[in-house]
Amino acid sequence: MKTVYLETVESTNSYCKEHLAELFDRTVVHAARQTSGRGRFNRNWIDLGSGNLFMSFVLKPSAAFRENFSNLTQYLSIVLCRVLEEYGIMPEIKWPNDVLVNGAKIAGILAETVVHGKEFSGIILGIGVNLNAEPQGLSSVKDKIITALNIETGKSINPDRFRNRLTGKFFEHYEDFLEEGFSYIKDEYIKRACFLNREISVKVFNEEKKGIAEAVNDKGELILKNNEREFVLTIGDIL
Ligand code: BTN
């Protein structure tokens, strides 16, 4: 594993995209501050100050594992839960890869696949974790309820130690995961899922689908059922 540290960057994901050709497989790029952090569905990822985690994995796996690439975000959400548990808290997962503590979002994960023509060049797997935030910083985010690890534990968090635990655990089982795919983590994912067997609404691009979250299948897709039909969702945002 190689590590690149940047003091301030627009976005670690964007940096990795721009420098993908020169970055080796399994490089971790992290920054103290992000000025234009990006989230899923073109949302922003707000920088809550230094002491938080802004990081991207550069991954160049064999295209033979292509069908498991889209589940890497779910694998990372499980790895994050394992690390958070070491701090004595009980995280939950909201499909597909949001990690919540006491119902509030503590982290966000954004994967981007880079393809040139038909050639697969790599995956950039970005993660932001709120490690050290002030209560007023948390309430400045209006569109969702968020939390931070220092608030949940009552202690300030060492970001380097947290990052080392996360990257260590990520690479420990990365190859097993690539070979097996979602089924490698399915039981653990289900155990931590907070949305199953509930009436939910899922935003899929501009459409809202309502139903009971019946299951997560072997591909990590969400099975949503209502009186009219069953949906098998590969992408979306539980509202
Ligand atoms: C989301 O929940 O919408 C995903 C947020 C992902 C944020 C991280 S922070 C590090 C990396 N760089 C980015 O610009 N985004 C990801």
Side-chain angles (χ1 to χ4, degrees), residues 11-13 34 36-40 43 45 53-56 98 105 107-110 126-128:
S11 145
T12 55
N13 267 37
Q34 256 189 172
S36 301
R38 295 185 288 108
R40 294 171 72 226
R43 288 188 290 242
W45 183 257
L53 183 72
F54 309 108
M55 177 176 97
S56 302
D98 271 347
K105 178 160 161 148
I109 295 172
L110 174 69
I127 179 165

Side-chain angles (χ1 to χ4, degrees), residues 71-78 95-97 182 185 189 219-220:
N71 301 108
L72 273 163
T73 60
Q74 288 164 315
Y75 172 64
L76 181 54
S77 71
I78 289 291
W95 185 86
N97 54 51
F182 185 72
I185 52 161
Y189 187 92
K219 292 181 180 168

